[in-house]
Amino acid sequence: MDQTYDRAKALLQGEPSGLRAGLRVWAAWALRRPRICLVLVVLLASLPGLFAMPPLDRDESRFAQATAQMLESGDFIAIQFQDEPRNKKPVGIHWLQSLSVWITSDAAAREIWAYRIPSLAGAILAAVLTFSIGQTLFGRREGLLAGALLGSCIVLSVEAVNAKTDAMLLFSVVALQLALAKLWMARDEEQKPGVGVALLFWAALGFGILIKGPITPMVAVLTILALSIATRSWRWLLPLRPLMGVPVMLLVAAPWYIAITLQDQTFLMRAANEDFIPKLLSGVESHGAPPGTYVGVHLLGFWPGALFALPALVAAWKLRRKVHPLPFLLAWLIPSWIVFELTPTKLPHYTLPTYPALALLVAWAVFAASPWLTGRFAKLLAIIALLGGAVLAAGIVWLPLQLSVPDAIGPGVVAAILVLATAWGAAWLSWRRRPLAALSWSAPMTAVVMAWGMGLYVPQLKPLWLSPQLADVYFEQRSPDSPPLASAGYHEPSLVFLTDRDTHLYSAGRTADYLAADPKAVVAVTGRQEAAFRQRLEELGVVPVAKAELSGINYSKGRSDTITLYGRAP
């Protein structure tokens, strides 16, 4: 206990005496139980949103619906959304989600939180293993700070409550990089890492391939190439034992790829032509952006670590020949970041596999007392944090007023105050040249902001959640023997997940034909499809009866919609 307390004092050395007194007990506990501390950070940031956030469009609902269909059909090889094959994505996350739903819920219940549990687990494991890498490269305190920066950052907090691949992908990358970090740190030592490190590398590589195909191998290969070219040696990789490891990787990843290829011989070609190659050539689904975009995106996505990320990167580059662990982190970060920047299709979470390296660089720079973290560059970032916090807080208060949601105004005001306290407190401490204090304040506060935002504020913005509204109204209006819902103009995957696998996403004319064919049918029609729907019904001699109307914003398309539920006149 005394030694841990002394380490806590050293950790806080240089901070104001009052701050040291207030944080010393917490720091001592965190250093004694770093992994428990990091689990609590991730749970604080993400657990409220896990239960409170409605199903998101579009990717989350597609993944969840495909998993639900696996459970209902018993076919755990083919991936389908309704009748559409989705085999262009690997199956790993669907297996994990199936296991989670089987243990905690039921496919028929359509409880989205059960599908999100693997993502939360991936975020927790990524933060904990980032600590392990930091401990391997630098020491316990650097690992703890890096894990906290990753576990509380905004992008990972969002991905932890999103039933997709990205949090588990991050876990696979960090597990693999932990093995490489151990090899790198032992490259000049006589005692080389044992077989367990090699097994970790190859198992993580196979797992990553099963989760999201080429991304985990890409990060691994780029890291290895950069380090080996820089050192002009490959000998540090010999403990990986490829003759033993490659079969392990294949044992993890290959069975499903073989099984799905036997079912669908065009699988690999379609996966490349429909998913992978288009993202390399142009912006898919309006997600294009120029190179350099992620440098700006990280200021919000990697907050609070973004407060010192760029100065830490500059410091690491200047000292890369003097500090043995730095080349490893730079080789992890820079080549993969360049690939993501050069890829035309861009989404905020795509650079997530590089964030642990960024967090570790920031943690190193803080404890190395790098002057770059207290210079003019850092003060500029502090000003950006001040202005960014003010703009974000204003937007949080403005949005419920704009959407006319009085119930969200109170939670919005609280969220805005928390954002201001987090950003302005961090900026003030950074300006006062207290980087450790700035991060010690902003990391837990960011977790609180994310918990409040995703747990209370965002779910209250009802106009954004058209699918839950429509599903609720549909179940109120349908009779027990009604056929599945047909929807004209509103085709979001979350509607399918919340209603029925056989929900029909039709054109206006086909929806009118569907209503005419069955007097017990209930259909949904957007305002944009109303005229064509009524014209077709007129031709068929059918009189529609409006049963309910709702309005809101289809955030996937960035437009407002009015949706009317219709039945047939007796």
Side-chain angles (χ1 to χ4, degrees):
M1 172 66 183
D2 291 339
Q3 290 179 351
T4 304
Y5 194 74
D6 290 340
R7 286 200 298 267
K9 289 174 65 176
L11 185 152
L12 296 167
Q13 195 65 37
E15 301 301 333
S17 57
L19 185 63
R20 286 203 306 271
L23 292 178
R24 195 172 292 158
V25 173
W26 175 87
W29 178 84
L31 283 168
R32 284 203 318 274
R33 298 286 187 272
R35 292 174 179 84
I36 294 176
C37 176
L38 294 174
V39 170
L40 294 176
V41 167
V42 177
L43 289 177
L44 172 61
S46 304
L47 196 60
L50 184 93
F51 293 101
M53 292 287 289
L56 303 175
D57 285 311
R58 295 179 172 127
D59 281 349
E60 177 180 53
S61 292
R62 285 174 179 152
F63 276 102
Q65 176 60 28
T67 298
Q69 290 180 209
M70 276 189 172
L71 289 164
E72 291 165 348
S73 68
D75 181 356
F76 292 93
I77 302 299
I79 307 168
Q80 289 192 310
F81 177 83
Q82 295 190 299
D83 296 323
E84 174 191 352
R86 279 184 55 82
N87 296 326
K88 61 186 180 180
K89 302 285 188 182
V91 78
I93 195 65
H94 295 290
W95 286 352
L96 293 172
Q97 289 176 357
S98 296
L99 180 63
S100 172
V101 174
W102 180 70
I103 293 172
T104 64
S105 181
D106 182 79
R110 292 299 197 271
E111 295 174 315
I112 191 62
W113 61 265
Y115 298 79
R116 291 170 171 167
I117 289 174
S119 294
L120 179 62
I124 290 171
L125 291 169
V128 169
L129 291 184
T130 297
F131 161 76
S132 297
I133 296 176
Q135 188 175 35
T136 299
L137 297 178
F138 302 111
R140 198 175 184 86
R141 61 184 187 174
E142 288 87 353
L144 175 60
L145 179 58
L149 293 178
L150 180 69
S152 63
C153 81
I154 291 175
V155 166
L156 184 58
S157 297
V158 171
E159 291 304 318
V161 298
N162 210 330
K164 312 196 280 98
T165 56
D166 296 283
M168 267 296 166
L169 168 70
L170 180 64
F171 160 60
S172 72
V173 170
V174 178
L176 177 148
Q177 296 293 75
L178 174 59
L180 289 181
K182 290 182 178 294
L183 264 62
W184 177 254
M185 294 303 289
R187 70 189 182 98
D188 295 327
E189 299 176 5
E190 292 184 10
Q191 183 83 20
K192 299 300 182 183
V195 68
V197 171
L199 288 173
L200 175 63
F201 176 87
W202 294 107
L205 187 59
F207 181 74
I209 293 170
L210 197 60
I211 291 291
K212 204 168 182 177
I215 302 302
T216 302
M218 181 199 79
V219 176
V221 168
L222 290 175
T223 303
I224 289 171
L225 282 176
L227 289 172
S228 299
I229 292 171
T231 60
R232 300 178 184 178
S233 173
W234 301 86
R235 294 185 61 82
W236 67 284
L237 295 169
L238 290 178
L240 283 181
R241 298 172 172 86
L243 293 178
M244 175 205 70
V246 171
V248 171
M249 178 194 70
L250 294 175
L251 185 64
V252 174
W256 177 76
Y257 282 90
I258 293 170
I260 193 61
T261 303
L262 291 174
Q263 280 193 16
D264 179 4
Q265 285 75 24
T266 65
F267 154 67
L268 289 175
M269 187 65 69
R270 287 192 297 103
N273 291 337
E274 296 177 14
D275 188 59
F276 184 66
I277 294 175
K279 291 179 179 178
L280 299 178
L281 298 178
S282 63
V284 175
E285 295 183 359
S286 303
H287 296 318
T293 297
Y294 287 126
V295 176
V297 167
H298 100 283
L299 293 174
L300 180 62
F302 186 57
W303 176 271
L307 195 59
F308 300 109
L310 292 177
L313 179 58
V314 173
W317 183 259
K318 288 184 173 295
L319 295 175
R320 67 190 185 279
R321 300 186 189 279
K322 297 180 179 179
V323 183
H324 184 48
L326 293 181
F328 173 77
L329 295 177
L330 294 172
W332 179 354
L333 171 65
I334 295 174
S336 293
W337 192 286
I338 290 172
V339 170
F340 290 130
E341 288 284 14
L342 293 179
T343 302
T345 301
K346 289 182 172 65
L347 286 170
H349 61 269
Y350 278 7
T351 51
L352 187 57
T354 65
Y355 278 13
L358 211 50
L360 287 159
L361 287 173
V362 171
W364 161 77
V366 166
F367 289 110
S370 170
W372 284 91
L373 270 63
T374 55
R376 292 180 181 177
F377 196 7
K379 288 191 174 184
L380 174 62
L381 290 170
I383 293 172
I384 292 174
L386 279 171
L387 298 176
V391 170
L392 183 58
I396 288 171
V397 174
W398 170 83
L399 190 56
L401 296 174
Q402 178 69 16
L403 297 177
S404 301
V405 190
D407 291 345
I409 294 175
V413 170
V414 174
I417 293 171
L418 290 172
V419 166
L420 287 175
T422 302
W424 289 8
W428 181 77
L429 289 167
S430 175
W431 191 272
R432 295 288 304 274
R433 300 185 176 184
R434 304 295 182 193
L436 179 57
L439 295 177
S440 298
W441 166 257
S442 56
M445 283 297 295
T446 301
V448 171
V449 168
M450 297 306 295
W452 184 272
M454 294 192 294
L456 288 170
Y457 169 66
V458 177
Q460 288 288 340
L461 301 173
K462 301 296 185 185
L464 296 177
W465 311 118
L466 271 173
S467 289
Q469 292 183 67
L470 181 53
D472 288 344
V473 174
Y474 164 68
F475 286 124
E476 288 173 5
Q477 298 297 332
R478 73 188 297 268
S479 60
D481 53 351
S482 290
L485 174 70
S487 178
Y490 187 74
H491 293 171
E492 297 306 324
S494 56
L495 179 63
V496 178
F497 177 75
L498 290 170
T499 52
D500 190 281
R501 174 194 186 281
D502 296 321
T503 292
H504 303 291
L505 307 179
Y506 283 162
S507 64
R510 196 171 179 189
T511 301
D513 293 340
Y514 185 79
L515 181 62
D518 193 327
K520 295 178 181 177
V522 176
V523 300
V525 183
T526 64
R528 290 174 173 80
Q529 302 294 320
E530 184 87 21
F533 171 74
R534 285 186 171 276
Q535 181 179 348
R536 177 58 179 160
L537 285 180
E538 231 176 82
E539 295 171 1
L540 296 170
V542 174
V543 178
V545 175
K547 291 177 170 287
E549 183 179 284
L550 54 96
S551 60
I553 296 174
N554 185 340
Y555 58 83
S556 295
K557 292 189 174 180
R559 69 189 189 195
S560 59
D561 264 326
T562 298
I563 302 176
T564 305
L565 257 68
Y566 286 102
R568 274 179 56 174

